[in-house]
């Protein structure tokens, strides 16, 4: 028996911008998500989506949480986004900023601009988000 782990199959995919692809009802009610087709193309190895903030920030939307992931990268496409990260303090990311959230890092969203859009890449595609008390 081989010790080589089977890797999920991957296929070529392209996602062109179509405003109709932004869907609400995802992880956060204040955001619209545009699925880039990466989860389907990688058999669940990874996912990628564009997150568009659809409501102004209010403190009620701020909830400390963490994600049970292997990898999470976020890139600011438009506007700015502000979070507090466990052990890292408050960080304000603006257009062109990129960060990695290590697996399980606790964080709290503190604000965003009205035009905020983020690109998020996560491994694996299916993962748990845990809200904290």
């Amino acid at each position: 028996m081989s010790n080589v782990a089977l890797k999920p199959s991957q296929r070529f995919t392209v996602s062109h911008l179509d405003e109709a692809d932004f869907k609400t009802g995802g992880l956060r009610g204040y955001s619209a998500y545009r699925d880039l087709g990466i989860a389907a193309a990688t058999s669940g190895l990874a996912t990628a989506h564009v997150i568009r903030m659809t409501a102004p920030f209010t403190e009620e939307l701020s909830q400390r949480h963490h994600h049970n992931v292997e990898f999470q990268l976020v890139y600011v496409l438009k506007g700015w986004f502000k979070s507090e990260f466990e052990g890292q303090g408050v960080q304000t990311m603006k257009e062109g900023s990129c960060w990695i959230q290590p697996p399980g890092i606790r964080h709290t969203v503190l604000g965003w601009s009205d035009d905020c859009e983020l690109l998020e890449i996560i491994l694996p595609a299916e993962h748990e988000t845990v809200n904290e008390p």
Side-chain angles (χ1 to χ4, degrees):
M1 183 155 218
S2 172
N3 289 334
V4 177
L6 295 176
K7 292 185 179 183
S9 63
Q10 297 181 39
R11 64 177 172 76
F12 180 81
T13 189
V14 173
S15 177
H16 296 285
L17 177 61
D18 181 343
E19 289 297 321
D21 289 340
F22 282 91
K23 308 291 184 204
T24 56
L27 176 61
R28 304 285 182 226
Y30 51 76
S31 303
Y33 294 80
R34 176 181 159 220
D35 180 8
L36 300 177
I38 304 306
T42 64
S43 301
L45 177 68
T47 191
H49 46 253
V50 176
I51 306 169
R52 179 180 284 168
M53 301 310 166
T54 58
F57 178 79
T58 63
E59 286 191 34
E60 293 78 35
L61 300 175
S62 189
Q63 170 71 51
R64 190 157 186 83
H65 63 283
H66 69 274
H67 308 283
N68 290 332
V69 298
E70 294 175 30
F71 176 83
Q72 183 175 12
L73 178 143
V74 185
Y75 182 89
V76 181
L77 297 168
K78 292 181 186 175
W80 59 268
F81 190 83
K82 184 177 182 180
S83 287
E84 181 273 323
F85 297 92
E86 180 178 52
Q88 303 302 315
V90 175
Q91 304 288 325
T92 301
M93 281 57 110
K94 58 185 187 233
E95 188 171 320
S97 297
C98 181
W99 72 97
I100 289 178
Q101 293 179 197
I105 189 171
R106 289 161 176 77
H107 55 285
T108 306
V109 175
L110 300 176
W112 57 76
S113 61
D114 290 341
D115 64 341
C116 184
E117 285 190 15
L118 308 171
L119 169 65
E120 184 174 55
I121 301 168
I122 301 174
L123 282 76
E126 293 294 323
H127 58 275
E128 180 184 25
T129 294
V130 179
N131 288 326
E132 310 211 354

